[in-house]
Amino acid sequence: MKAEPSSFKNSKETMHKHIEKTKLDKKLQAVFGPHAYSEGPLATSGTGRRYVGVKLSTPLNSDQVEFLVDSLSHFQILCISGQNFESFSLAHFERFANHWGAPIPHPSNVRRRGENVEWKPFKDRNVSAVNATFPDQLQCLPHTSPTVFVASNMSGPRKEGEPVSVSPGGDWHVDIECERLPIYVSMFLVHKVPESRDAPGGTWIEAPNDIEKFGSLQENPDEELMRLRSQLPLDGGTAYADTEAAFAALPESEQEVLERTRVHRRLNWKDEGWLAPLVRTNPRSGLKSLHSPIWNSRPAIKPPVLVEGMNAGESRAFLDRLEKHVLQPRFRYDHTHTPGDVTIWDNYMILHNSPPIKTNIHSIDDARLLYRISCKGEPALTLPRNDVQEWLDQHINGGYVTPKEIIRVDK
Ligand SMILES: [Fe+2]
């Protein structure tokens, strides 16, 4: 991202991660009206804010967008709660996403035929299985856009006789750090969250008694790292770790070394790859953060990274030590989802992880349904975006551009 002027740089009260709530609310109300207010910090590290009274079903003006973009640059996670499904659709969600970058068709919605890329028909996407699970009780919001990834634990009518099972949490990661232009922002719109709390301890999922079942990096001999990785929400929420606060907490001498460190990233094993900085500076807030300090965040499908000047073993030891630092409880935050929330995070400044989830569910009370869109590139204060087709072809699946009908959804 290139530097753009911040709307708060020249004001007397600069926004920052530990800004007082009253000062933040004053700014929020100046752009969104007197009924808007903030909650937070959401995490003990100071990261995360919830904005209440911010309606995303109407088009945003440039002051409102700039306020939100600046907010994310300081707070790393924003939860804009209370969207009403009577008026807020997935078209509104995609229009909103366009302010943060060019929305990317999710790989699971894309079919490749040689050089050609086409969008999978709706009936072949996992959304159809979701709709068939509790057909009279829950249906996905209508959409056809390939940018909408349906994150759900519903895969069709339940299999008789098969018990409910629990899939373990995932590996700590950022979304698509392994492309030349990584993903900037990802966002969830929350439709349905699990309501049952029948596990011992009153949670949705029982606390793990075997940490090796969590994530796929099972062979790591460092028990403390494994324990930290396995500390995931038991209510279907999303786990985050603040890589800005984690970087800031390191001694200056170590920060200097990390700022000079580059990592060799590759999309696939056969790729030559490229060198990418491990530390990024946010162009608006100036905050420095670690971008995906993980040795191998997708062991089953992607190669591990190499640190410049180190061999494989040294790279792993170097990055495992950083991951252990970042996953300390003081940098962690478990976000509980609520229907109607739009939750946005900056992938350059945050790690995240999926929680353990019940599958083959028998009851609507166990259903979890979220929609995710991810974006690349620069924020846009006004729409439509002005991305050059050559740039889109290079960085966005199929050169996708959100159709005019979605940008003008209310007109
Ligand atoms: Fe992710």
Side-chain angles (χ1 to χ4, degrees):
M1 288 184 292
K2 65 174 183 284
E4 277 188 22
S6 161
S7 57
F8 298 102
K9 266 184 189 150
N10 298 322
S11 69
K12 274 188 187 167
E13 293 173 355
T14 308
M15 195 192 290
H16 53 80
K17 204 167 172 178
H18 296 280
I19 188 172
E20 285 173 29
K21 177 176 154 44
T22 47
K23 289 181 183 172
L24 179 62
D25 282 1
K26 209 169 132 193
K27 295 171 188 299
L28 178 63
Q29 287 161 5
V31 290
F32 283 104
H35 43 268
Y37 63 93
S38 70
E39 291 175 354
L42 300 178
T44 51
S45 69
T47 201
R49 292 294 186 283
R50 178 176 289 109
Y51 289 164
V52 183
V54 171
K55 199 172 159 190
L56 301 178
S57 56
T58 48
L60 299 178
N61 65 41
S62 57
D63 287 344
Q64 293 171 329
V65 177
E66 187 158 38
F67 175 84
L68 293 176
V69 171
D70 272 339
S71 294
L72 191 70
S73 77
H74 289 273
F75 306 140
Q76 300 141 279
I77 303 170
L78 284 184
C79 178
I80 305 174
S81 61
Q83 306 310 310
N84 182 343
F85 293 120
E86 301 273 306
S87 54
F88 189 71
S89 67
L90 286 174
H92 293 104
F93 188 44
E94 185 171 344
R95 178 183 67 191
F96 175 67
N98 269 262
H99 284 297
W100 299 90
I104 304 163
H106 191 270
S108 68
N109 294 333
V110 171
R111 194 152 56 194
R112 291 186 181 274
R113 291 182 195 274
E115 289 292 293
N116 295 328
V117 171
E118 56 187 51
W119 316 136
K120 273 190 199 169
F122 201 72
K123 66 176 176 53
D124 294 341
R125 299 185 197 172
N126 61 347
V127 56
S128 298
V130 172
N131 285 347
T133 307
F134 300 106
D136 302 326
Q137 295 166 281
L138 184 61
Q139 295 287 290
C140 288
L141 296 178
H143 67 283
T144 55
S145 172
T147 65
V148 176
F149 171 65
V150 175
S152 155
N153 60 344
M154 291 170 277
S155 54
R158 74 181 178 97
K159 297 167 191 79
E160 287 302 327
E162 268 191 31
V164 175
S165 54
V166 175
S167 68
D171 296 302
W172 286 90
H173 68 286
V174 305
D175 290 335
I176 310 295
E177 81 295 347
C178 52
E179 294 184 354
R180 278 191 187 271
L181 179 63
I183 283 179
Y184 160 40
V185 155
S186 295
M187 58 186 73
F188 276 136
L189 168 63
V190 183
H191 187 157
K192 172 86 176 65
V193 293
E195 289 159 42
S196 70
R197 293 288 182 272
D198 47 12
T203 53
W204 181 46
I205 302 279
E206 188 172 357
N209 53 19
D210 181 0
I211 59 172
E212 293 194 355
K213 284 193 177 153
F214 282 72
S216 47
L217 291 172
Q218 296 181 16
E219 79 282 21
N220 198 301
D222 187 328
E223 277 185 27
E224 176 60 6
L225 177 56
M226 290 301 292
R227 193 189 65 78
L228 290 168
R229 284 175 175 164
S230 73
Q231 302 299 298
L232 296 172
L234 301 174
D235 64 352
T238 296
Y240 293 99
D242 179 347
T243 67
E244 187 275 325
F247 178 75
L250 292 168
E252 214 169 293
S253 55
E254 195 169 345
Q255 290 181 356
E256 283 168 13
V257 171
L258 290 170
E259 284 193 70
R260 290 194 300 271
T261 301
R262 296 190 297 174
V263 291
H264 184 242
R265 298 203 190 278
R266 288 176 293 172
L267 194 52
N268 299 301
W269 285 92
K270 60 180 173 27
D271 296 342
E272 204 175 303
W274 57 89
L275 287 167
L278 187 60
V279 176
R280 305 268 183 159
T281 304
N282 186 286
R284 285 180 168 261
S285 63
L287 292 175
K288 292 180 178 175
S289 54
L290 294 157
H291 179 232
S292 191
I294 306 286
W295 175 68
N296 192 359
S297 55
R298 295 173 192 80
I301 51 174
K302 300 285 181 206
V305 295
L306 280 175
V307 179
E308 187 179 26
M310 295 185 190
N311 64 30
E314 291 164 343
S315 298
R316 179 173 188 173
F318 181 88
L319 289 168
D320 278 357
R321 193 180 65 80
L322 270 184
E323 184 183 349
K324 199 156 101 175
H325 170 66
V326 172
L327 295 186
Q328 292 177 76
R330 62 183 164 142
F331 306 128
R332 285 273 287 101
Y333 167 57
D334 288 343
H335 183 76
T336 296
H337 294 297
T338 302
D341 281 357
V342 169
T343 302
I344 312 166
W345 65 93
D346 182 332
N347 280 293
Y348 289 109
M349 305 170 92
I350 284 283
L351 290 176
H352 66 277
N353 202 351
S354 54
I357 287 175
K358 286 185 193 175
T359 56
N360 192 33
I361 59 174
H362 300 182
S363 162
I364 190 77
D365 289 343
D366 285 326
R368 182 179 187 266
L369 176 58
L370 299 87
Y371 310 100
R372 201 191 75 196
I373 297 182
S374 294
C375 308
K376 276 185 176 182
E378 304 286 330
L381 301 187
T382 57
L383 300 180
R385 300 180 57 79
N386 288 317
D387 298 315
V388 175
Q389 192 59 51
E390 191 183 343
W391 179 88
L392 290 163
D393 291 340
Q394 195 179 352
H395 296 294
I396 309 296
N397 255 341
Y400 177 84
V401 177
T402 295
K404 288 197 290 284
E405 311 81 78
I406 288 181
I407 300 297
R408 297 177 189 156
V409 55
D410 296 312
K411 294 182 181 164

